Short mmCIF file of all heavy atoms in Angstrom, two decimals:
data_model
loop_
_atom_site.label_atom_id
_atom_site.label_comp_id
_atom_site.label_asym_id
_atom_site.label_seq_id
_atom_site.Cartn_x
_atom_site.Cartn_y
_atom_site.Cartn_z
N LEU A 110 -8.37 2.78 -19.58
CA LEU A 110 -8.75 3.85 -18.64
C LEU A 110 -9.72 3.30 -17.58
O LEU A 110 -9.74 3.66 -16.45
CB LEU A 110 -9.36 5.09 -19.42
CG LEU A 110 -8.40 5.76 -20.40
CD1 LEU A 110 -9.12 6.87 -21.07
CD2 LEU A 110 -7.22 6.24 -19.64
N THR A 111 -10.67 2.44 -18.02
CA THR A 111 -11.54 1.88 -17.12
C THR A 111 -10.83 1.04 -16.10
O THR A 111 -11.18 1.00 -14.92
CB THR A 111 -12.61 0.98 -17.86
OG1 THR A 111 -13.34 1.78 -18.78
CG2 THR A 111 -13.64 0.28 -16.87
N MET A 112 -9.85 0.19 -16.58
CA MET A 112 -9.02 -0.55 -15.68
C MET A 112 -8.39 0.29 -14.64
O MET A 112 -8.32 0.01 -13.46
CB MET A 112 -8.03 -1.35 -16.50
CG MET A 112 -7.08 -2.24 -15.71
SD MET A 112 -5.60 -1.36 -14.90
CE MET A 112 -4.70 -0.88 -16.41
N LEU A 113 -7.78 1.52 -15.03
CA LEU A 113 -7.15 2.32 -14.11
C LEU A 113 -8.08 2.84 -13.09
O LEU A 113 -7.78 2.90 -11.88
CB LEU A 113 -6.54 3.53 -14.85
CG LEU A 113 -5.29 3.31 -15.69
CD1 LEU A 113 -4.88 4.61 -16.41
CD2 LEU A 113 -4.16 2.73 -14.92
N ALA A 114 -9.34 3.26 -13.45
CA ALA A 114 -10.29 3.76 -12.56
C ALA A 114 -10.73 2.74 -11.54
O ALA A 114 -10.80 2.98 -10.33
CB ALA A 114 -11.55 4.35 -13.30
N THR A 115 -10.97 1.47 -12.02
CA THR A 115 -11.38 0.43 -11.15
C THR A 115 -10.26 0.05 -10.23
O THR A 115 -10.53 -0.24 -8.99
CB THR A 115 -11.75 -0.85 -12.02
OG1 THR A 115 -12.82 -0.48 -12.90
CG2 THR A 115 -12.23 -1.96 -11.14
N ALA A 116 -9.08 0.00 -10.65
CA ALA A 116 -7.91 -0.30 -9.81
C ALA A 116 -7.66 0.70 -8.73
O ALA A 116 -7.21 0.36 -7.63
CB ALA A 116 -6.63 -0.47 -10.62
N TRP A 117 -7.98 1.98 -9.01
CA TRP A 117 -7.88 3.02 -8.00
C TRP A 117 -8.86 2.83 -6.78
O TRP A 117 -8.50 2.92 -5.63
CB TRP A 117 -8.11 4.33 -8.64
CG TRP A 117 -7.78 5.54 -7.70
CD1 TRP A 117 -6.55 6.08 -7.67
CD2 TRP A 117 -8.65 6.26 -6.85
NE1 TRP A 117 -6.58 7.16 -6.76
CE2 TRP A 117 -7.88 7.24 -6.24
CE3 TRP A 117 -9.99 6.15 -6.50
CZ2 TRP A 117 -8.37 8.16 -5.32
CZ3 TRP A 117 -10.56 7.05 -5.61
CH2 TRP A 117 -9.76 8.03 -5.01
N ILE A 118 -10.07 2.37 -7.11
CA ILE A 118 -11.06 2.24 -6.12
C ILE A 118 -10.94 0.92 -5.31
O ILE A 118 -10.90 0.93 -4.08
CB ILE A 118 -12.43 2.23 -6.65
CG1 ILE A 118 -12.74 3.63 -7.27
CG2 ILE A 118 -13.55 2.00 -5.66
CD1 ILE A 118 -13.96 3.72 -8.12
N THR A 119 -10.81 -0.21 -5.95
CA THR A 119 -10.84 -1.54 -5.37
C THR A 119 -9.56 -1.91 -4.60
O THR A 119 -9.61 -2.80 -3.83
CB THR A 119 -11.10 -2.63 -6.47
OG1 THR A 119 -10.05 -2.56 -7.37
CG2 THR A 119 -12.45 -2.37 -7.15
N GLY A 120 -8.51 -1.22 -4.82
CA GLY A 120 -7.25 -1.50 -4.11
C GLY A 120 -6.79 -0.41 -3.19
O GLY A 120 -7.12 -0.34 -2.00
N PRO A 121 -6.14 0.62 -3.80
CA PRO A 121 -5.59 1.68 -3.01
C PRO A 121 -6.59 2.45 -2.13
O PRO A 121 -6.36 2.55 -0.91
CB PRO A 121 -4.98 2.64 -4.06
CG PRO A 121 -4.71 1.69 -5.23
CD PRO A 121 -5.81 0.71 -5.26
#
Side-chain angles (χ1 to χ4, degrees):
L110 297 177
T111 300
M112 180 277 295
L113 287 179
T115 303
W117 190 86
I118 297 171
T119 58

